[in-house]
Amino acid sequence: MSFARFAFSARALHRQAASSARRYSTAPDASKKPSNLPLYLGGAGCAGIAAYIYLKQSGSAKAAATPKKDLTSPLDPQKWVEFELKRIEPYNHNTAKYIFKLPEGQASLMPVASCVLVEPAEGARPLLDDKGKPVHRPYTPISPPDLEGEFTFLIKRYEQGQMSQYIHALKPGEKLAIKGPLTKIPYKQNEWDEVGMIAGGSGITPMYQVLKHALADPSNKTKFTLLFANISERDILLREEFDQLKKEHPDTLNVIYTVDKADSNWKGYTGYINKEMIAKHIAPASLGNKVKVLVCGPPGQVNAIAGKKESIAKQGPVSGILKELGYTEDQVFKF
């Protein structure tokens, strides 16, 4: 079964919209909330090893997009393909952009929303878990799917993250093996009136992929609200990009940040994403099939907000805060 979707060009002109008040406004919360820190100790990925197992068993999803100048994709969901690291662009104290080389006339052509799996290239030092099995991790590129010649990952280094530590040790000219794409949830333009996005740390990349795709389409009518939790202000990934998108699309995008450690100049929320915050900003479950809530972050955060995800193929029951607020399995998707 193919999960491939046609993707709109991420370079499409942004629709200009008149500024107006949103239904779900944000307001600073001066009270100190419990710490975000335990939520980030679970690692970098949203899916883990189960992604590899599922892809190996059912990996029939092929990269597909609306190509320009007959672009093709070198990605393959059936086998590992090695890509050379072209350059590294430091981002902050523990995150960098890793840009991999593609041949002329090729682009990633990643469907929305999808990710790829990565592992060390052949001949490199293998990564094994505590059971002696190979380590694979899912990552979502942040570059446009139709960008010719290269594609980019924004990768945060986790102290307990084997793969993130490995990638941060790569040097230009070295290679990484990639398999995919693995489509997570095929995005259909205007399928929902409201989309709530709840993310933590590096779990922001699939949200960015969806927003860039959806907001670039002038026909978009869906209203997006992003709640994004991080340890500190300097840890907020892609903040400039999200703030710019919010400025360009004031009627269809709202972004709310919360941090664990706030300095005296911070005017946003402090603490983890809680029931009150979600109820205030995310469209209610009473909207039925008109609302969707997407969740991606460290396992602790996902468990508390939406319940544990069973596997890459099975979402598992909705529990946690979203269950308390009345959301059903049809209304929630866990990356």
Side-chain angles (χ1 to χ4, degrees), residues 144-172:
D146 62 349
L147 178 63
E148 182 181 359
E150 62 184 36
F151 63 124
T152 301
F153 296 97
L154 182 65
I155 298 179
K156 182 175 181 176
R157 186 182 68 252
Y158 288 85
E159 293 305 320
Q160 304 301 320
Q162 286 181 279
M163 186 60 71
S164 68
Q165 293 279 1
Y166 178 85
I167 294 175
H168 272 256
L170 289 177
K171 298 178 176 57

Side-chain angles (χ1 to χ4, degrees), residues 57-300:
Q57 293 175 344
S58 63
S60 58
K62 292 289 183 179
T66 303
K68 39 183 201 177
K69 60 178 285 188
D70 298 323
L71 292 174
T72 60
S73 174
L75 295 174
D76 192 326
Q78 303 294 336
K79 65 180 182 180
W80 295 98
V81 180
E82 295 187 356
F83 294 91
E84 180 182 331
L85 180 59
K86 185 176 180 179
R87 65 182 185 277
I88 302 170
E89 296 178 1
Y91 187 86
N92 65 11
H93 62 106
N94 62 6
T95 304
K97 292 181 180 180
Y98 290 81
I99 299 93
F100 289 87
K101 184 186 301 184
L102 297 175
E104 182 179 352
Q106 293 190 338
S108 73
L109 302 184
M110 295 278 291
V112 176
S114 66
C115 66
V116 295
L117 299 176
V118 304
E119 71 169 17
E122 185 176 357
R125 174 176 59 88
L127 295 182
L128 303 176
D129 62 18
D130 54 6
K131 296 181 180 180
K133 296 181 179 181
V135 173
H136 309 90
R137 290 291 182 266
Y139 287 100
T140 301
I142 62 169
S143 51
D146 62 349
L147 178 63
E148 182 181 359
E150 62 184 36
F151 63 124
T152 301
F153 296 97
L154 182 65
I155 298 179
K156 182 175 181 176
R157 186 182 68 252
Y158 288 85
E159 293 305 320
Q160 304 301 320
Q162 286 181 279
M163 186 60 71
S164 68
Q165 293 279 1
Y166 178 85
I167 294 175
H168 272 256
L170 289 177
K171 298 178 176 57
E174 296 181 321
K175 294 182 178 182
L176 189 69
I178 295 176
K179 180 188 279 189
L182 170 63
T183 298
K184 305 303 291 294
I185 178 171
Y187 183 81
K188 300 176 183 178
Q189 199 73 0
N190 298 318
E191 182 175 5
W192 304 290
D193 291 351
E194 303 270 356
V195 171
M197 296 177 159
I198 302 173
S202 57
I204 194 61
T205 53
M207 309 302 184
Y208 182 70
Q209 184 189 56
V210 171
L211 286 173
K212 288 288 288 184
H213 167 77
L215 297 176
D217 182 1
S219 73
N220 174 64
K221 295 181 177 62
T222 299
K223 294 182 178 180
F224 296 89
T225 300
L226 170 64
L227 302 182
F228 188 17
N230 285 277
I231 294 176
S232 67
E233 188 172 5
R234 69 174 184 165
D235 291 295
I236 300 176
L237 303 179
L238 300 170
R239 184 179 183 179
E240 291 183 3
E241 287 83 349
F242 286 122
D243 289 348
Q244 183 63 30
L245 285 172
K246 181 179 177 179
K247 181 179 179 180
E248 294 172 349
H249 304 276
D251 293 331
T252 51
L253 175 62
N254 194 20
V255 183
I256 300 101
Y257 304 108
T258 182
V259 299
D260 178 40
K261 301 174 183 178
D263 60 27
S264 58
N265 296 320
W266 178 251
K267 300 185 183 303
Y269 282 101
T270 301
Y272 59 69
I273 296 173
N274 56 32
K275 185 177 181 179
E276 291 72 24
M277 195 185 305
I278 294 174
K280 180 175 182 179
H281 297 291
I282 301 296
S286 59
L287 290 181
N289 61 9
K290 294 182 180 180
V291 62
K292 194 77 170 182
V293 182
L294 309 179
V295 184
C296 189

Side-chain angles (χ1 to χ4, degrees), residues 308-316:
K308 184 178 179 180
K309 184 174 180 180
E310 287 188 16
S311 69
I312 192 64
K314 294 183 179 180
Q315 287 283 298

